[in-house]
Amino acid sequence: MLEPDQLSLNIPETTKKRVVIIGGGFGGINLAKKLKCREFQVVLLDRQNYHGFWPLLYQVATAGLEPDSIAEPLRKLFGGDEYEDFHFRLMRVTNINPVAKTVSTLVGDLRYDYLVIATGTKPNYFGNEQVKKFSFPLKQIPDALNLRSQLLQSFEQASMTTDPVTKQSLLNIVIVGAGPTGVELAGALSEMKRHVLPSDYPGLDFSKMNIFLVEGMDRVLPPMDPESSAKSQKYLEDMGIIIKLNTLVETYDGQVAILKNGEQIQTQTLIWAAGVAGALIDGLPEASVERGRILVNEYNQVLGFNDVFAIGDIAFMKSEEFPRGHPGVAQPAIQQGQLLAKNLKRIIRNEPLEPFKYFDKGSLAIIGRNRAVADLPKNIHLGGFLAWAIWLFVHVMALVGFRNKLVVLSNWVYKFFTYENGTRLIIRPFVRQGDRIKRQFIDKYNQE
Amino acid sequence: MLEPDQLSLNIPETTKKRVVIIGGGFGGINLAKKLKCREFQVVLLDRQNYHGFWPLLYQVATAGLEPDSIAEPLRKLFGGDEYEDFHFRLMRVTNINPVAKTVSTLVGDLRYDYLVIATGTKPNYFGNEQVKKFSFPLKQIPDALNLRSQLLQSFEQASMTTDPVTKQSLLNIVIVGAGPTGVELAGALSEMKRHVLPSDYPGLDFSKMNIFLVEGMDRVLPPMDPESSAKSQKYLEDMGIIIKLNTLVETYDGQVAILKNGEQIQTQTLIWAAGVAGALIDGLPEASVERGRILVNEYNQVLGFNDVFAIGDIAFMKSEEFPRGHPGVAQPAIQQGQLLAKNLKRIIRNEPLEPFKYFDKGSLAIIGRNRAVADLPKNIHLGGFLAWAIWLFVHVMALVGFRNKLVVLSNWVYKFFTYENGTRLIIRPFVRQGDRIKRQFIDKYNQE
């Protein structure tokens, strides 16, 4: 591979206005899809070459789906003839300069007419470096593959130890954060514990496998309706998950998690699903940033600029209805991306802009087979099989590519009837966050 | 994860005879499947937790299939009740001691009654350290994922360079070795070049993409019949692949491949499919090893021992019909594994052993859509659509798991009608063999 100084962004000059989008998540791709490239030249910059359907990431971590089932190559999404003046570059943006109207990357600068920041979020460890070093995040595909390897490797190692304390620390899994990711992960692990693992590891006693779910608030799924939280908590407890509310993980050294209430849990696997922070980019004035997100007006214009926009999770649009901004889920990002496409067209036609109005389609969380909760519009709250069927339908329909839908659906149908998680492959042995990677052991292990 | 000194193999003691199998490839799993665990305790040791269907590995490298389509978890294969006394351990064997009758691993020793070495092969660079350092092997799943990332990353980088020489070196792909792996890989890349890449990378001129296939012998597919070689060569040339016979790659520094005939090819991607060597384990006397493989008699007993066996690619069974041993493909391994299961049962019943007789079912190689060659028994040689249909049927049927067959078949059907390679995800940016990984660039690139 070449060095950055041998490369350049190499975007053709044009007489059209150039829209530069940073980030190919839900906001970025919906904007680019709607913009097409008739009136604008569109440049999409991302560090990954795919768009991920993150609500299903926990299924990759629990060996239910392979990465290609939840991700579509960005170039494939924009391969049609209508995207003739669309340009994707696999490149990290280092900073932006809203005065000079440029973005800087590892391989050079790019001038823009309109800039859209759609960088989403990254895990937030709240400054706890110790936890950051030893825990497993679940934000990206490599995270999910690492976690899958870690979980399977733990059971392999548990098969190779006779010391009960050590064995228990391999069989204890601590999930920090009972938002949708934490809850869905806990549910999926509990199903593996009952259906897949006992036949895979006949030498292990899985009644000793503990799944802890630690939450700082007083209920699981805090963003959902209290009725749904209560229902979910019951489902989780029925499935044997140990829920610890009103407490935080204070520290974790890779061996023992110490909770704020003083409790200690021996565990080799601590999964961090406790919070996210905006993936900010250098170059915006401090006044444009609040609580780690970018302040925008109702047109998603960044405070102080009328040619810089932020959409999705990174955007902080205060309103009476949403004083703390919109929920960090796919829908606001999708809707803001689609509206911004319309508004950019209005701008070049000197037409008045349309303000953003969030259409809340509801929230869903799945805990297990036939067990899900749904908060629907008009204050309707569902549970059980009905919510589960809605969850299945919504997620299959929302997956981007046609082929993905088929593969995911056939995997789920197969799993439903066989209780099998198909992709239990440890592709990267001993991969671990931070410096806990035991290089020596890895090298010994992998030696030819 | 725990340190090796915290672990032990932890195999229960038994009154049954203990068979220790090293390696879960075609030989190892067919032996274990047939042995069951009624008369023996079976211990399978492998460094991976899955059995790979390696003939399809090139499809993972060319974004046609995800790893789980060509691999089955070993524990899943032996999950049934009939395998009650079967024990898998994810562990590397460091050496064996045929006098003490033990195998040594990173976490301790294990006594055996019968030992079966089924470790297969590893890439053979013929001592060329330079080539080993800079080239891409294609032997294991991580290799295929690395190669997939490398290929896609090359096109991404080619989109970001204006220098014609640099661009050409990113668009030149050199495959060394025109055995089945090299030929099938060349064919798959050529199909990507025509059908997928031009729409993914509209800014690149793929008529400039060159696929070189370098072979030391005087024809492609040397193990097959000359008629099939000639047919394959024609298919490959029709598909635009540049074939260089009777020459070797002398050296490669990551930028320029220098051939024995003096020719130089600028390339960022050199794929090494030129040869394999037995994956030997320390501990056998020198006299038992020839040409990097383990000498065995017609019962697969290792020369000098009657309780140590070698099967599959690692075994070197000389016979009049096969003076250089059996071909390094799946069938001899499968058949030797199945026969050894029978023979081990005969041994404990004091019955005479049955000698191995290879039943050659023929060889197949696929070059592209409707283009394959088949050498069948009775000197029948097929090409074109018929050989292609046979290839498809044989490979789908041979895939181990039921679900895999469905997923693979649906992927292929989809691909056939759409010319789409679905899994074009760069999951690991800038991964590269040896020290060419530009750590600094990677870290910069991946920085949060």
Side-chain angles (χ1 to χ4, degrees):
Chain A
M1 291 288 95
L2 302 179
E3 293 289 342
D5 58 13
Q6 295 175 276
L7 301 173
S8 64
L9 285 172
N10 199 21
I11 306 292
E13 281 308 317
T14 172
T15 53
K16 294 183 202 169
K17 296 283 184 188
R18 179 184 286 159
V19 180
V20 175
I21 305 169
I22 310 174
F26 285 111
I29 64 159
N30 278 282
L31 167 60
K33 278 268 173 201
K34 279 263 172 195
L35 264 188
K36 298 280 195 313
C37 309
R38 293 197 193 90
E39 292 147 292
F40 298 95
Q41 181 187 61
V42 179
V43 178
L44 176 62
L45 303 169
D46 200 312
R47 293 186 298 163
Q48 290 160 342
N49 79 329
Y50 48 85
H51 167 69
F53 189 77
W54 305 127
L56 290 176
L57 190 61
Y58 79 97
Q59 294 228 358
V60 176
T62 51
L65 293 174
E66 276 278 313
D68 75 330
S69 301
I70 68 154
E72 277 289 282
L74 286 165
R75 287 185 179 276
K76 186 176 161 194
L77 287 175
F78 298 100
D81 289 338
E82 68 269 41
Y83 300 108
E84 203 193 327
D85 208 359
F86 170 90
H87 307 273
F88 170 71
R89 292 295 179 266
L90 182 71
M91 191 43 64
R92 191 166 82 85
V93 173
T94 50
N95 62 284
I96 58 178
N97 186 334
V99 178
K101 299 183 69 166
T102 56
V103 302
S104 298
T105 73
L106 292 180
V107 299
D109 296 351
L110 183 67
R111 182 194 56 73
Y112 65 76
D113 294 298
Y114 303 102
L115 174 64
V116 183
I117 304 169
T119 46
T121 57
K122 58 182 184 180
N124 188 355
Y125 299 94
F126 305 104
N128 194 328
E129 287 300 316
Q130 188 79 346
V131 166
K132 182 177 177 181
K133 196 161 149 184
F134 292 113
S135 67
F136 288 84
L138 188 55
K139 276 292 287 175
Q140 304 198 334
I141 284 177
D143 294 340
L145 294 173
N146 280 352
L147 182 52
R148 180 177 89 185
S149 290
Q150 164 74 10
L151 291 166
L152 295 169
Q153 191 90 38
S154 295
F155 304 128
E156 294 296 341
Q157 291 210 341
S159 311
M160 291 191 278
T161 176
T162 45
D163 176 54
V165 176
T166 309
K167 188 175 284 194
Q168 191 60 54
S169 86
L170 290 159
L171 293 176
N172 284 347
I173 292 158
V174 176
I175 301 166
V176 188
T181 300
V183 164
E184 296 185 336
L185 191 61
L189 285 172
S190 165
E191 299 227 310
M192 281 184 87
K193 170 183 166 175
R194 278 184 302 166
H195 298 296
V196 176
L197 298 175
S199 89
D200 264 12
Y201 300 89
L204 291 179
D205 175 5
F206 280 94
S207 71
K208 290 188 177 148
M209 175 178 167
N210 295 320
I211 303 161
F212 297 92
L213 187 59
V214 180
E215 168 60 45
M217 311 277 273
D218 61 354
R219 57 187 175 108
V220 302
L221 294 174
M224 291 189 75
D225 187 86
E227 191 185 322
S228 297
S229 291
K231 228 176 260 171
S232 303
Q233 180 159 351
K234 190 180 172 306
Y235 293 153
L236 289 163
E237 284 168 347
D238 286 352
M239 291 167 80
I241 289 150
I242 304 162
I243 300 172
K244 299 190 175 287
L245 299 174
N246 294 309
T247 191
L248 302 166
V249 167
E250 198 143 70
T251 183
Y252 176 59
D253 63 357
Q255 304 292 332
V256 183
I258 301 177
L259 308 192
K260 199 143 198 164
N261 62 15
E263 211 177 327
Q264 301 200 353
I265 306 171
Q266 295 244 5
T267 181
Q268 298 286 321
T269 310
L270 184 133
I271 301 159
W272 191 255
V276 291
L280 291 169
I281 293 178
D282 288 344
L284 283 178
E286 263 180 50
S288 317
V289 177
E290 191 179 315
R291 292 164 165 268
R293 293 163 80 188
I294 300 172
L295 285 165
V296 297
N297 64 14
E298 69 268 43
Y299 313 112
N300 284 99
Q301 280 166 318
V302 175
L303 197 78
F305 305 95
N306 53 25
D307 48 11
V308 182
F309 303 81
I311 56 175
D313 285 0
I314 187 75
F316 188 4
M317 190 190 290
K318 284 188 202 178
S319 62
E320 249 175 67
E321 204 186 338
F322 298 97
R324 301 184 60 176
H326 296 95
V329 293
Q331 277 302 325
I334 293 169
Q335 295 173 24
Q336 288 177 356
Q338 290 172 341
L339 177 66
L340 183 53
K342 283 191 216 164
N343 278 337
L344 284 171
K345 291 176 188 174
R346 288 192 181 103
I347 286 176
I348 59 168
R349 289 178 203 139
N350 283 313
E351 291 170 11
L353 302 187
E354 184 186 324
F356 179 67
K357 182 127 188 42
Y358 178 43
F359 172 54
D360 186 358
K361 295 186 176 174
S363 331
L364 295 161
I366 187 170
I367 295 104
R369 173 187 295 239
N370 301 341
R371 283 172 175 141
V373 288
D375 289 350
L376 300 181
K378 304 193 182 186
N379 220 15
I380 298 170
H381 309 290
L382 301 174
F385 175 79
L386 196 57
W388 180 79
I390 293 173
W391 184 93
L392 206 66
F393 178 78
V394 167
H395 283 78
V396 171
M397 294 316 290
L399 275 178
V400 179
F402 160 71
R403 194 186 68 96
N404 279 1
K405 277 179 209 161
L406 268 185
V407 172
V408 170
L409 190 63
S410 71
N411 262 314
W412 283 340
V413 169
Y414 176 84
K415 212 170 126 180
F416 186 81
F417 288 108
T418 63
Y419 288 94
E420 263 290 351
N421 290 38
T423 65
R424 306 194 291 280
L425 314 178
I426 303 178
I427 304 252
R428 316 195 229 186
F430 296 95
V431 170
R432 180 92 204 215
Q433 285 307 102
D435 61 0
R436 282 205 71 214
I437 300 178
K438 298 285 191 289
R439 269 323 313 180
Q440 223 186 333
F441 194 15
I442 297 177
D443 293 343
K444 255 192 271 172
Y445 185 89
N446 285 325
Q447 204 180 305
E448 278 178 293
Chain B
M1 292 286 95
L2 302 179
E3 295 289 340
D5 58 14
Q6 294 176 277
L7 301 173
S8 64
L9 285 173
N10 200 19
I11 306 292
E13 282 308 317
T14 174
T15 53
K16 294 183 202 168
K17 297 285 186 187
R18 179 185 286 158
V19 180
V20 175
I21 305 169
I22 310 174
F26 284 112
I29 64 159
N30 277 283
L31 166 60
K33 278 268 171 200
K34 280 262 173 200
L35 264 187
K36 298 281 194 316
C37 308
R38 295 198 191 88
E39 292 146 292
F40 298 95
Q41 182 186 61
V42 180
V43 178
L44 175 63
L45 302 171
D46 199 312
R47 291 186 299 161
Q48 289 161 341
N49 80 328
Y50 47 85
H51 166 69
F53 188 77
W54 306 128
L56 289 177
L57 190 61
Y58 79 96
Q59 294 229 358
V60 176
T62 51
L65 293 173
E66 275 277 312
D68 74 330
S69 301
I70 68 155
E72 278 289 283
L74 286 165
R75 288 186 179 273
K76 186 177 162 192
L77 288 174
F78 298 99
D81 289 339
E82 68 269 43
Y83 300 108
E84 202 193 326
D85 209 0
F86 170 89
H87 307 274
F88 170 72
R89 291 294 179 265
L90 181 72
M91 192 42 64
R92 191 166 83 84
V93 174
T94 50
N95 62 284
I96 58 177
N97 186 334
V99 178
K101 299 183 69 166
T102 57
V103 302
S104 299
T105 74
L106 292 181
V107 299
D109 296 352
L110 183 67
R111 183 194 55 73
Y112 65 76
D113 295 297
Y114 303 102
L115 174 64
V116 184
I117 304 169
T119 47
T121 57
K122 58 181 183 180
N124 188 356
Y125 299 94
F126 305 104
N128 194 327
E129 287 300 316
Q130 188 78 347
V131 166
K132 182 177 177 180
K133 197 161 148 184
F134 291 113
S135 67
F136 288 83
L138 188 55
K139 277 291 289 174
Q140 304 197 335
I141 284 177
D143 294 340
L145 293 173
N146 280 352
L147 182 52
R148 181 177 88 185
S149 289
Q150 164 74 11
L151 291 166
L152 295 169
Q153 192 89 38
S154 294
F155 304 127
E156 294 295 342
Q157 291 209 342
S159 311
M160 289 190 279
T161 175
T162 46
D163 176 54
V165 176
T166 310
K167 188 175 282 194
Q168 190 60 54
S169 85
L170 290 159
L171 293 177
N172 284 347
I173 293 159
V174 176
I175 301 166
V176 189
T181 300
V183 164
E184 296 185 336
L185 191 61
L189 285 173
S190 165
E191 299 227 312
M192 280 184 88
K193 171 184 166 174
R194 279 185 302 167
H195 298 296
V196 176
L197 298 175
S199 88
D200 263 13
Y201 300 89
L204 292 178
D205 175 5
F206 280 94
S207 71
K208 292 189 175 147
M209 175 178 167
N210 295 320
I211 303 160
F212 297 93
L213 186 59
V214 180
E215 168 60 45
M217 312 277 273
D218 60 355
R219 57 187 175 106
V220 303
L221 294 174
M224 292 190 73
D225 187 86
E227 191 184 322
S228 297
S229 291
K231 227 177 262 171
S232 304
Q233 181 161 349
K234 192 181 170 304
Y235 293 153
L236 290 164
E237 284 168 348
D238 286 352
M239 291 167 80
I241 289 151
I242 304 162
I243 301 173
K244 298 188 177 289
L245 300 175
N246 295 308
T247 191
L248 302 165
V249 167
E250 198 143 71
T251 183
Y252 176 58
D253 62 358
Q255 304 293 331
V256 183
I258 301 178
L259 308 192
K260 199 144 198 163
N261 63 15
E263 212 176 326
Q264 302 199 353
I265 305 171
Q266 296 244 5
T267 181
Q268 298 286 320
T269 310
L270 185 133
I271 301 159
W272 190 256
V276 291
L280 290 169
I281 292 179
D282 288 344
L284 283 177
E286 263 180 51
S288 316
V289 177
E290 191 178 314
R291 293 165 164 265
R293 293 163 81 189
I294 300 172
L295 286 164
V296 297
N297 65 14
E298 69 267 43
Y299 312 112
N300 284 98
Q301 280 167 318
V302 175
L303 197 78
F305 305 95
N306 52 25
D307 49 11
V308 182
F309 303 81
I311 57 175
D313 285 359
I314 188 74
F316 189 4
M317 190 189 291
K318 283 187 203 180
S319 62
E320 252 175 66
E321 203 186 338
F322 298 98
R324 302 185 59 176
H326 296 95
V329 294
Q331 278 303 324
I334 294 169
Q335 294 173 24
Q336 288 177 357
Q338 290 172 340
L339 178 67
L340 182 54
K342 284 190 213 163
N343 278 337
L344 284 170
K345 290 176 187 174
R346 290 192 180 102
I347 286 175
I348 57 169
R349 289 176 202 141
N350 284 313
E351 292 169 10
L353 301 188
E354 184 186 324
F356 179 68
K357 184 131 183 39
Y358 179 43
F359 172 53
D360 186 359
K361 294 188 177 174
S363 330
L364 294 162
I366 187 170
I367 295 103
R369 172 187 295 239
N370 301 339
R371 285 171 174 142
V373 289
D375 289 350
L376 300 182
K378 306 192 179 185
N379 220 15
I380 297 170
H381 308 291
L382 300 175
F385 175 78
L386 196 57
W388 180 79
I390 293 172
W391 183 93
L392 206 66
F393 178 77
V394 167
H395 283 79
V396 171
M397 294 317 290
L399 275 179
V400 178
F402 160 72
R403 194 187 68 95
N404 279 1
K405 279 180 207 158
L406 268 185
V407 172
V408 170
L409 189 65
S410 71
N411 262 313
W412 283 340
V413 169
Y414 176 83
K415 213 169 124 181
F416 186 81
F417 288 109
T418 62
Y419 288 95
E420 263 290 352
N421 291 39
T423 66
R424 306 193 291 280
L425 314 177
I426 303 177
I427 303 253
R428 319 196 228 187
F430 297 93
V431 171
R432 180 90 204 216
Q433 285 307 103
D435 60 2
R436 281 204 73 213
I437 299 179
K438 299 287 190 292
R439 272 318 317 178
Q440 222 187 335
F441 194 13
I442 297 178
D443 292 344
K444 253 192 271 172
Y445 185 88
N446 285 325
Q447 204 181 305
E448 276 179 294

